[in-house]
Amino acid sequence: MICLLLLGDLSGSIPALWLILAGAFACYGAAVLIVLRRGNVLHCSNLSLLLVLIFGLLFRATLLASPPSLSHDVYRYVWDGRVQSAGINPYAFAPSAPAVAELRDASFALINHPDISTIYPPLSQLLFRVVCTIHPGPFGMKVAFLLCEAGIVAVLIAVLRRRGLDESRVLIYAWNPLAIVEIAGSGHMDPMGILLLLLAAHALSLGRRGTATATLAGAFLAKLLPALALPLLWRRLAAEPISLRPRLALIWFPIVVAGGLAPYAGAGWKMVAGLSTYLDKWRFNDAAFSVAYWLLRDPTLAVDDAALALLRQTSALLLAAVACWAGWRIADPFRALFLIFGAYLLLSPTLHPWYLLWILPFLALFPNPAWLLLSGLVFLAYEVLIGYGRNRVWVEQDWVKWAQFGPFFLTALATPVYRRWRPAAAGECME
């Protein structure tokens, strides 16, 4: 991590970034193997868990003060917080709108897509406002997200302990370079939604339906993606005898969501304008979506909008089907969420590296070689910044996707075969 700090502007040193991260992931992979090989038979000592946590904190502290360079999303968070501090609804105006021109400062030029209104949900907006009231700027945002990460680690330790697993397996999340670079380095806001999602799953596993529903609603208000977990609630309620009491827990979801939306409802349809643009137009580093588009597109067209629209609808339906099936058939809420969010990442038309943050916590519970491998290979997606930095043209190279998803799918296919022929060895390393 110190080497990354010394690089300075990471977007201008992508090959060096890859080289450094290759070494970091090699060390990380060795640490994961050590923990898993001993973790199936021993619980970690308090000392080993403490060392995992201390080093996880040190890794993050190294990048905390570094300026975000791989992504400028954090500057949009700061903008939304400053707009709210000025008494303006962040959904009402895009940053480039004349109505908010007086709020612009030197960091305005770093805001992505200033002509599009914010896409971030109400609970995230509330956090942005609180942070900007206390300490406006990327550093304050990073600190807030690292506090959420501390919550993620605490929940994982509690879940590992309850399952009788080695608590030091939290290293799989805490030491993963992807989490360190994308949160401590780039300042992405996903940890808040992930924390609330894990709390909801933990509450479900304990039978606390009301708490699970309320925290899932909070997760939805933080990032929207956790709406995919709603089928998990329905499964557990359907399994109950016919009774009104357990079903009253579902009331918490619309109540919490309505409460979160209310302070910003004055913006009307503008609350979803930016999100609608994102869903209709964004496409980057896609996996299965890319293959399907290549098969369906009209080769005479530079961009086949009809094929893209059809694939977006089909992917949404497939994802909904996976979520419903997993929520109904898989008893363990954490395993169900692992499958659901894995399907989301593979079916989505947009897969920025930090999107994999949503799968990382589940790897501490269900170590999977393919996903661990992809959490490192996904940094290849930043190749696009090389051309963008030279001529401001955003063009993806085909080899980048092959280099990421080829090894991922091969590993995913080879793992069950390996486990079948070498069950003892597989049990020692990966579940």
Side-chain angles (χ1 to χ4, degrees), residues 365-424:
L365 305 175
F366 317 109
N368 181 284
W371 284 108
L372 287 169
L373 179 62
L374 186 59
S375 72
L377 292 176
V378 75
F379 279 104
L380 292 173
Y382 283 122
E383 188 278 339
V384 74
L385 296 180
I386 297 176
Y388 188 74
R390 292 172 180 169
N391 51 34
R392 313 307 291 177
V393 176
W394 189 274
V395 178
E396 296 181 74
Q397 302 296 325
D398 290 339
W399 71 264
V400 173
K401 293 182 183 180
W402 283 104
Q404 290 175 79
F405 300 117
F408 167 77
F409 284 112
L410 287 175
T411 305
L413 292 172
T415 299
V417 175
Y418 175 78
R419 289 173 179 169
R420 180 176 180 180
W421 289 102
R422 296 287 300 275

Side-chain angles (χ1 to χ4, degrees), residues 35 47-57 168 170-171 174-175:
V35 167
L47 178 60
S48 60
L49 177 59
L50 182 61
L51 288 175
V52 168
L53 298 179
I54 288 175
F55 276 100
L57 180 60
S168 65
V170 75
L171 172 149
W175 287 18

Side-chain angles (χ1 to χ4, degrees), residues 2-15:
I2 294 176
C3 292
L4 292 181
L5 184 65
L6 295 177
L7 276 182
D9 183 1
L10 300 181
S11 65
S13 308
I14 297 301

